[in-house]
Amino acid sequence: MDSGRGVPILVGITGGMGSGKSTVSSFWATCMGLPRIDIDEVCRQLLARDMPGWHALHGLLPDTFFTVSGDLDRKRLRTALFAEEKLRRQVNGLVHPLARNRMLEMAGEIAGSMVLVDVPLLYEAGWQDRFDHCVVVYANRAACCRRLIDRDRITPEESLRSMAVQAPLAEKALLAEHVIDNSGCWLFARLQVMHLARLLCSVVPSG
């Protein structure tokens, strides 16, 4: 991205299930007064009835994945995606390009020098080249499992199965330019976020 032409610098923030990615990106946006794009929310909008994502999946999935009123049965789809790798690849292949294009449209409409983008599957989707900076929010496996169990009211076994559908968090951390360690107390993570936020803002070209 070239901020010199009026296009904001894009910072992609990713992580793994239970790593605290959304907590970090929300705090960062609030702390520095920056706009934030949530790709989960973008996908939810794209999959609403008669939206582009809905039409794409309507051509792929049987009618059992849709309610009587025609809405996508998101809970049924989520369960199937965790269980079937082939289906997961097919759905991601349809939805990810739509979400990427919408993200770029939204970023282009923002009058600012930097935009934070919360992307759950940044590396899995191959989006790393779309960002000026990539940040991984890391947490160790025990911390991620504990958070998933508390948040989703699931068993330890279910938390491990959920985490297994994404690339290992340690591998993502090795690929990233910057890593926030959110394994421990939130105060420590916040200090890291503030330090990185100020560092990146200091290199944003003025004018």
Side-chain angles (χ1 to χ4, degrees):
M1 304 299 165
D2 185 354
S3 60
R5 297 199 305 269
V7 178
I9 287 176
L10 293 185
V11 179
I13 304 172
T14 191
M17 291 184 177
S19 70
K21 163 188 56 63
S22 295
T23 301
V24 164
S25 65
S26 295
F27 172 76
W28 187 340
T30 301
C31 176
M32 302 302 290
L34 294 173
R36 171 179 173 267
I37 298 173
D38 183 343
I39 295 300
D40 272 344
E41 180 58 31
V42 169
C43 288
R44 277 191 286 272
Q45 294 173 4
L46 287 170
L47 294 175
R49 186 176 179 183
D50 291 328
M51 293 296 286
W54 181 92
H55 282 291
L57 295 191
H58 200 269
L60 170 69
L61 302 171
D63 291 341
T64 52
F65 281 90
F66 297 85
T67 66
V68 175
S69 60
D71 295 319
L72 180 67
D73 187 335
R74 296 169 188 262
K75 184 176 181 181
R76 182 182 180 89
L77 177 61
R78 178 182 172 85
T79 300
L81 292 179
F82 277 119
E84 303 176 37
E85 182 179 354
K86 180 180 178 180
L87 179 63
R88 187 163 64 247
R89 288 199 305 267
Q90 290 175 319
V91 169
N92 287 343
L94 293 172
V95 176
H96 284 173
L98 295 172
R100 180 191 62 226
N101 292 341
R102 180 58 184 144
M103 172 194 74
L104 295 175
E105 289 174 2
M106 293 171 68
E109 295 167 356
I110 293 173
S113 58
M114 180 179 288
V115 177
L116 307 179
V117 188
D118 189 322
V119 193
L121 301 178
L122 189 153
Y123 290 108
E124 291 89 337
W127 289 14
Q128 56 267 35
D129 293 336
R130 295 289 179 174
F131 296 98
D132 299 282
H133 302 282
C134 293
V135 180
V136 164
V137 179
Y138 174 84
N140 60 46
R141 178 176 290 238
C144 290
C145 286
R146 182 175 64 253
R147 291 167 186 163
L148 284 176
I149 292 168
D150 291 342
R151 185 190 73 188
D152 299 339
R153 303 299 179 187
I154 58 178
T155 66
E157 293 75 17
E158 288 172 327
S159 71
L160 291 173
R161 284 198 297 270
S162 297
M163 292 167 58
V165 305
Q166 296 184 352
L169 196 45
E171 291 182 9
K172 295 183 186 182
L174 292 174
L175 294 171
E177 297 172 83
H178 308 284
V179 178
I180 300 293
D181 187 352
N182 190 33
S183 299
C185 74
W186 174 230
L187 174 60
F188 180 54
R190 272 171 31 200
L191 291 173
Q192 296 175 73
V193 174
M194 293 173 68
H195 175 77
L196 178 57
R198 290 169 180 167
L199 175 66
L200 294 186
C201 281
S202 71
V203 299
V204 174
S206 58

